Structures are given as C-alpha cells and as structure tokens.
Amino acid sequence: MPEIEVFPNPAAQRDYLIKHVCPEFTSVCPKTGQPDFATIELEYIPDESCIELKSLKLYYYSFRNEGIYYEAVTNRLLDELVEACKPRWMRVTGIFNVRGGISSVVAAETGPRS
Amino acid sequence: MPEIEVFPNPAAQRDYLIKHVCPEFTSVCPKTGQPDFATIELEYIPDESCIELKSLKLYYYSFRNEGIYYEAVTNRLLDELVEACKPRWMRVTGIFNVRGGISSVVAAETGPRS
Amino acid sequence: MPEIEVFPNPAAQRDYLIKHVCPEFTSVCPKTGQPDFATIELEYIPDESCIELKSLKLYYYSFRNEGIYYEAVTNRLLDELVEACKPRWMRVTGIFNVRGGISSVVAAETGPRS
Amino acid sequence: MPEIEVFPNPAAQRDYLIKHVCPEFTSVCPKTGQPDFATIELEYIPDESCIELKSLKLYYYSFRNEGIYYEAVTNRLLDELVEACKPRWMRVTGIFNVRGGISSVVAAETGPRS
Amino acid sequence: MPEIEVFPNPAAQRDYLIKHVCPEFTSVCPKTGQPDFATIELEYIPDESCIELKSLKLYYYSFRNEGIYYEAVTNRLLDELVEACKPRWMRVTGIFNVRGGISSVVAAETGPRS
Amino acid sequence: MPEIEVFPNPAAQRDYLIKHVCPEFTSVCPKTGQPDFATIELEYIPDESCIELKSLKLYYYSFRNEGIYYEAVTNRLLDELVEACKPRWMRVTGIFNVRGGISSVVAAETGPRS
Amino acid sequence: MPEIEVFPNPAAQRDYLIKHVCPEFTSVCPKTGQPDFATIELEYIPDESCIELKSLKLYYYSFRNEGIYYEAVTNRLLDELVEACKPRWMRVTGIFNVRGGISSVVAAETGPRS
Amino acid sequence: MPEIEVFPNPAAQRDYLIKHVCPEFTSVCPKTGQPDFATIELEYIPDESCIELKSLKLYYYSFRNEGIYYEAVTNRLLDELVEACKPRWMRVTGIFNVRGGISSVVAAETGPRS
Amino acid sequence: MPEIEVFPNPAAQRDYLIKHVCPEFTSVCPKTGQPDFATIELEYIPDESCIELKSLKLYYYSFRNEGIYYEAVTNRLLDELVEACKPRWMRVTGIFNVRGGISSVVAAETGPRS
Amino acid sequence: MPEIEVFPNPAAQRDYLIKHVCPEFTSVCPKTGQPDFATIELEYIPDESCIELKSLKLYYYSFRNEGIYYEAVTNRLLDELVEACKPRWMRVTGIFNVRGGISSVVAAETGPRS
C-alpha cells in the first residue's frame, strides 16, 4: 500500500469541510474475478493534517487489482484514511456501478454507534 | 420463494448505511392481471449480517408472475428482508410506474409508530 | 362527485408513506372561464384504509369542468380525501402551470396550526 | 368550433418559421371516456396570414370534451389550421401522455406523399 | 405603485403554504442605468387574505423602469407584500442573472432576528 | 401470441409518422434464464391500417416469459408488426438495460439493404 | 434607436460562424400593454464587419418599452442587424416565454425564398 | 490586494441571506505552476455593510496569478471577506475542477468550533 | 488477448444497427503509468456474425493493465473487432475522462478515406 | 508561445476524428482589461501528426494574460494549430461565458469559402 501523505492544516483554528470526489475507483470482485467500478466520495473535517491530493489518487489506484467486496472496501478506506490524517470527523461513500441490474451505495463515517 | 442469502458484516463495530437500487422489479396487478413495474430502493444498517447481492436479485425476480398490490408488496419486502438479515434499521421504497396517469411511491421502514 | 373508494390497509401495524403524483389535473378558472392545469401530489400515512387508485383518478377527473381557484381546490382536495380515508397524516400539493408569467404551488396538510 | 383568427404576415417577402408549443391540450378517449393529455407542437411557414395566438388557445380548448383518437386529432388539427391560414408549409406534432405504459407521438405535415 | 389586491383566505382554519414564482422580473441598475433581470420567488402562509395573482403581476411590472439594488429591492418587496396581505409568515427570494461573471441570490423573510 | 389488432388509418391520403414508446418490455435471457429489460420504440408510417394501442401492450406482454436474444427479439418484433399492419415504413428500436457493465441498442427498419 | 457599432472582421479570408445568445430581451405586447420576454439567438457569418457586443446589448435594450408582436420584432431585428453589418449570412431566432399556456419560437434568416 | 468595497445594509433591521456565485475564479497551483479553476460560492447575513459586487469581482481577479492551495485559499477568502464587511454570519465554498481524476470542494464558515 | 466470440446473425437478410456502450473501460497511460478511463461506444451493422456480449466484456477487460494512448487504442479496438466479426460497417468511439483539464473523444470507422 | 508538440499518427491509413474539450481557457479583454473565460472545443482529422495533449494544455495556458477578442482568438487558435499538425481537417469552437447578459460562440474551420 502506498503511503497516504498529509500536510499541515492551514486553518486548524476552525472546523471546515473538505470533500474529494473520485469517479475512477476500480477493484476486483473476489467471487467472479471481474472488475468493479465506483465513485468514492471522501468528506472530512481536518484536525492537524490534510490529505495530499496526489497521494490520495495513488492510494485509490493501489486497489486496482485487489479482490474485495463493496462493504469491506468502504470500511477499509475509512479506517486507513482516518489512520493517515486523524481528522475531527470523516465519511467515506462508495457509489458502485450496476451489477445484475442493481446499483449499490455504502456509506460509513467516524463516531460512536447511534 | 428463493432463500435470501447473507454473509457476516465485515464492520459490525460501527453503524453504516448500505443502499441497493433495483430499477427492474416487476409483478402483476391482482385486479387486471397486467404487469406492474417499479424501482425498489433498499436501505439498511446491518447488524450481524449483510444481504448477498445475487440472492437479492433472485428474490426480487420471484415476484415476476405474482399478483400483489403496491402497498402490500412494499410492506412484504420489508418484512421478509428484515427476517433474512435482522438489521439495526431498514427502509424499503417502491417507486411504481404511471398507471391511469398517476405514478406512486410507497415507503416503509422498521421502528415504532411515530 | 364520484365516490373515493378505499380498501383495508394491508400493514396497519406500522406508519408508512404512500405518495400518488398526477400530472393530469385540470379545472377551470372561475374568473376567466379558461382551463387551469396542475400536477397534484398526494402524500399520506394510512390508518385503517388506503385510497383505491382508479377511484382517485375518477375523483380528480370530476374537477375537469368545475370553476375553482388554486387555494380553494387544494384545500378542498385535502378535506375530501381526509374524509374518505381518515389517514394518520395527509398532505396535498398543487403545482399549477404558468399564468401571466407566474407559476404557483399550494401545499396544505393535516394537523394543528403551528 | 371557435374561429381561428389570422392577421397579415408582417414579413411575407421571406420564408421564416413560426413554432407554437402548447403543453395543455386535452381531449377524451372515445373508447374509455377518460381524458387524454398531450403537448401540441405547431410549426409553419406563413404565406399571407399568421395565426393569432389567443384564438389558437381557444381553438385547442374546444377539444376539451370531444372524443377523438390520437391519429385522428393530429391530422384534423393539421387540416383545420391549414384551412385557416393557408401556409407555405405546416407540421403538427402531438406528444401524448403515457397510457397502458406506452407514450405516443403522431406527426403530420403538408406536402405530397414521399 | 399599483395596488396589491387581496381576497379572503378560503381555508384560514389551517396553516398552508402558497408559492408564486415569477421568472420575468426586471428593474434598472441605479449605478449603470442598465436593466437587471431576476426570478422572484414569493412564499407565504396566509392569515385573513391571499394575494390576487394578476395584481401581483402588475405590482412586479411597476419596477420595470425603477433604479434599485438587489438587496434593497428584495427587502422592499417583502415589506410591501407583508403590508398588503398581513400573512402569518412570508419569504421573498430574488435570483438575479449573471453580472460581471457573478450571479446573486437575496432571500429575506419575516420574523425576529435569530 | 395475442393478435395485434389494427384499425383503419384515418388519414391515408398523406404520409405521417406514429411513434409508440414502451419502457416496460421484459423477456428472458435464453443462456442464463434471467430476465432482460428494455424500452421498445416503434415508429411507422401507416398505409391502410394503424396499430391499436392496447393490443400492442398485450403483444409486448406476451414476451414476458420467453427466452430470446436482443438481436433476435428486435428483428422478430419488426417482422410481426409489419405483418400485422403492412405499413409504408417501420422501424423498431430496442434499448436494453445494462448487463455486465454494457448497455445495448438494436435498431431495425424496413426497406432494401443499403 | 442606438447605433449598432461594428468592427473590422479579423478573419475575413474564411467563412466562420458567430453566435450571440441574449436571454434578457423584453418588449411590450401592443394589444395588452403587458411586457413580453424572450431569448434572442443571433447567428451570422461576417463579411467585412463584426457586431460590437456592447452596442448589441444597448440595441436590444432599446426595445424595452416598445409595443411590437413576436413575428414583427424577429424580422425587424434581422433587417436592422443585416443593415448594420452586411453579413454573408444571418439568422435571428426569438424564443418567447409562455403566454396563455403557449410558448413560441420565430426564426428568420437571409437568403432567397426556398 | 484590491480593496473590497462595502455599502450600508439597506435592511439591517432583519437577518437575511445574500449569496454570490462566481464560476470564474482561477489561481495557480504552488507545486506545479499550473492554473487551478473553481466556482466560489459566498453566502452571508450582512450586519452594517454589504459587499459591493464589482469590487468583489476585482478582489477575486487578484488571485489570478497567485500560487495557493485549495484549503488555504478558501480559508483566506473567508478571513478577508469577514474583515471587509463584518457580517453576522458568512460561509465560503470553493468547488474546484477535476485534477488527477478527482474534484474537490472546501467549505468554511464563521462561528465557534462545533 | 481473449477470443472475441461471435454467433450467427439472426437477421442477415437486412441491414440493422447494433450498439454496445461500456462506461467501464480502463487502460494505462504509457507515459505516466497512471490509469486512463473511458466509455467505449461500439456501433456496427452485422453481416454473417454478431459479437457475443460477455466475450466483448472480457476483451475490453484485457486492456486493464496495458499501456496505450487514446488514438492508438481506439483504432486497435476497431481493427480487432472488425477482424472478429467482419461487419458490413463498424464505428468505435472512445470518450476519455478529463486529464490536465481536457477531455477527449476519438472516433474511427470502417470505409474508404473521404 | 510554447511549442505545440506532435507525435506520429498511429492510424494514418484512415480518416478518423479527434476531439479535445477544454473548459479552462482564459484570456483578457483588450478593451476592459478584465478576464474572459471560455470552453475551447478542438476537432480534427489527423494526417501525419497528432497533437500531444500536455503541450496543448500549455499552449492554451499561454493566452492567460493576453488581451485578445473572441473572434480573433478563435481564428488564431485555428491558424496556429493547423500550422502545428497540418491536419486533413480542423475546427475550433470557442464558447464564451456571459458578458453584459449575452453569451457567445465562435466557430471556425479549415476549407474553402462556401
């Protein structure tokens, strides 16, 4: 896995929202071996660190030939991105292309169970 | 009715949302014998189990030649899908095509009466 | 006025939402005698009874040659549909076509004055 | 039938196109007695006369309670509008709302059979 | 200024919403003397009186050759329309066309400062 | 196969176009046994006969449980509809839902090979 | 009428197309005295001269309080703009807002009658 | 930096919302030296002063050849615009074009950390 | 390279059009080593053979880790698909995602140079 | 001016179309000194050479602080891009943002005057 680089938050004195939308995420279905395609929306309120955009692209790129399910990949993206930048809040939303006539969305965020 | 298969929730430590949208649901009107068409949106927060996508498709497919009304089918989908995966929360929304110049939406979810 | 038929709610044990959208409502302006056109959105939570779709269409059809203003017709639809099915909650929204360069929406629902 | 009024073409020295789009046309299905709804697009190149807009509206309005099929009404509109303004060219397009899950378009224009 | 006419609210026993959208509002920029163009959205909950639609159109029309800024005209519309119909609640939203590469929205409503 | 009913063309003296769009066509994939879904666009210039709309709906409905490929069903619809109404010209376009990440369109019309 | 200013065509050695779209045209209906609103599309192939954009805006602005019909104003715009810049080809299209439930388009261009 | 001009709030007696949307913001990426492009949405509730639109345009224009990151520029716009007009509330949203297959949004507003 | 399978054309007696749209094509940029993403539109008139849909998907999938430029890949797809099914006519259109602020389309078809 | 780099056409044996769309073109108005913004669409049929995408981006970037009118810049882009890659055919279309309430398009292509 490539390192997710961060840089110092230029406005840590306030809570503000950053959103990165990548319509070019692709991994492989572990059952069929066929490629899956998704748009990944990442939203977070930075604390000390912001995620560097080019390293985020390379991080997403590292899933290209990995076999992983929708629910698992969304939660793993959240875990690893939280680990990298330790935000005040973060949400990851995976919007997956139609398979078998059904499209899917998985959305996970930090915080206690409601 | 085909069995709705489930698999273990890979991230049961947090509440997160799964949404499956199927624009290819069809059943039969019990009064006229003519086919009805709908988009079914399924949203849930999994507990121990997640719904397997292919078995969901086959389950929807089993209504193809069944006679059932809009209000009844939406509530029955909710009851049977809750029974299958015992989620923390679930909502089923049926968006039905125009009949007699009128389109219809029926939305039911788990929880106490408000 | 044609009777608005109802049938027993197949899932009275829970609160759930039914929405019927009819883009083919037409009545007559009492001042000019010219036809008015509207989309009527009906949303309700049924109690004992659900509204039968074909009788709803015929009920809307009965306004075709009646002279009535936007504000009055929306509130009258609400009153008569509540009378017919005695729902736990209901809202009627009339979306009226452009007249004199102005389009209009009137929305009324059950419940106490806020 | 109300008279379709015309006024002298202010630019008869050139061929130019006039298009009037009315999304508020309604007539009655002769078989079921239920209302039909359509958008009528009228396109023509005027010769000596242009169609007056308000009389066009009233002419369309006169079909409100008349029983007539899609194919017949489109061709009759063409015949009567040609009779009224004797254009260099005219086309009438009826775009009819969904009935039985099927929407329909009928388009007729002046000129010899191709 | 033309009088804004009102008529008695036909359903004063309940709170309900009326919305009129006029995409044909135009006034003049006091600085440049050039015309400004806007869509005006008017939303209100009537008390004793409803605003008559044709007089609303003429009232908007009276701004056609008047020089007034975006912020001032939106608030003045609110003040004068409140004065005319004394509603339970009202909001006026002006959506102004692009000037200098920037489009603008101004929205004001009744009620105490938050 | 239900009979495709026709009625006499009310304007056989001119060439004009009729278009019926049905977004509710479904058949079965012969290889997988899974349902296929399509929108069928039918365009034709009638000669002596026009296709009756309700019988068209029932004709489409008869494919509901039939196993047939995209290319075959589109050409068969063309052959059988031409046989039923003997038009001056006809085109059938099948717009098929996504399967395996690929959507498909098949369009066939009468006339000599170009 | 303000002068329509022109400037020398910077590429008179070739035919190329210029299109200016103004959604802010307004004049007055001669019959009712009420304002009309339109989008004016101007397309031309310049010869020696191009139309200066600011003077075009002021020229359109000069119609603001003038009473003139759709068909007349579109043809007059064509005549006066041709006079001002003597193009190789020009077309003026007026797209007029809904009046009496009907929207209108008038399109005129240079050239011999077809 | 050009001065951001203000004028007295014409309706300081109430809280109301002003929104300016500029799709023509451009600065330079400090790392690559390549231009960045964004839409800047500015929303605020004025207190004593409103922002003058032309000076806002020139202020945005002053970033044209400045090297600055997404997160930094959004927060700096907020700081400088707050300083200029001392609003009751303000939010700045930067919507940045796709870079490396990823589009970005940064949104910051006044107020205490939540 | 996986074999592109074909099956006998079920309607070789007429010219008709088949179109397959795949929004999930991805290859690798030979210069940067970064992934490229495209929608591939394939249109053809079959002669003896039609392209089997699942083998088309696998054929596209085989480019996933191959380094190739936009212009080259579009022409190679055309060459190899023509070789596989020997159509009467074929066109391949590649619609490539934004890179460096520029999106690209490459379209190639069979036939003599014009 | 940066050099527009080219590379050998990988499929010179056939005519095929390449289209590059750049929504991030900006130059300066020579009269007002204010920035202009446009989308530039470049379409061409390559002969010996194709335009390299990154050098195209830098070439467009070189207009960022240059004062030039709409009509002149579109024709100059055509002249310089033709000079760089000597295509079989080329068209440049500039789609310019709203100025003074008017948006503009200029389109020029190679070939003899018609």
Side-chain angles (χ1 to χ4, degrees), chain J residues 20-34:
Chain J
H20 297 300
V21 179
C22 177
E24 299 184 342
F25 185 89
T26 179
S27 56
V28 173
C29 174
K31 195 151 71 175
T32 64
Q34 296 299 304

Side-chain angles (χ1 to χ4, degrees), chain I residues 15-49:
Chain I
D15 285 351
Y16 68 99
L17 190 70
I18 301 172
K19 182 178 183 176
H20 296 300
V21 179
C22 178
E24 300 184 342
F25 185 89
T26 179
S27 57
V28 173
C29 174
K31 195 152 70 175
T32 65
Q34 295 299 303
D36 283 332
F37 288 83
T39 292
I40 302 293
E41 294 186 1
L42 167 65
E43 297 163 285
Y44 71 104
I45 298 174
D47 189 19
E48 297 295 308
S49 304

Side-chain angles (χ1 to χ4, degrees), chain D residues 20-26 36-42 60 74 77 92-97 104-106, chain G residues 101 103:
Chain D
H20 296 302
V21 180
C22 178
E24 299 184 343
F25 185 89
T26 178
D36 283 333
F37 288 83
T39 292
I40 302 295
E41 294 185 1
L42 167 66
Y60 286 160
T74 306
L77 288 171
V92 174
T93 305
I95 304 164
F96 297 87
N97 279 16
S104 299
V105 176
V106 182
Chain G
S103 63

Side-chain angles (χ1 to χ4, degrees), chain H residues 50-95:
Chain H
C50 292
I51 295 172
E52 198 276 330
L53 199 55
K54 187 165 185 189
S55 78
L56 179 64
K57 186 180 80 169
L58 293 174
Y59 169 61
Y60 286 160
Y61 184 17
S62 71
F63 287 84
R64 190 172 178 85
N65 293 313
E66 184 155 345
I68 187 165
Y69 287 106
Y70 298 172
E71 289 85 358
V73 73
T74 306
N75 282 286
R76 182 172 142 197
L77 289 171
L78 179 60
D79 289 339
E80 293 179 354
L81 288 162
V82 163
E83 178 62 27
C85 79
K86 297 183 177 48
R88 293 178 191 160
W89 172 84
M90 182 177 279
R91 178 164 52 200
V92 174
T93 305
I95 304 164

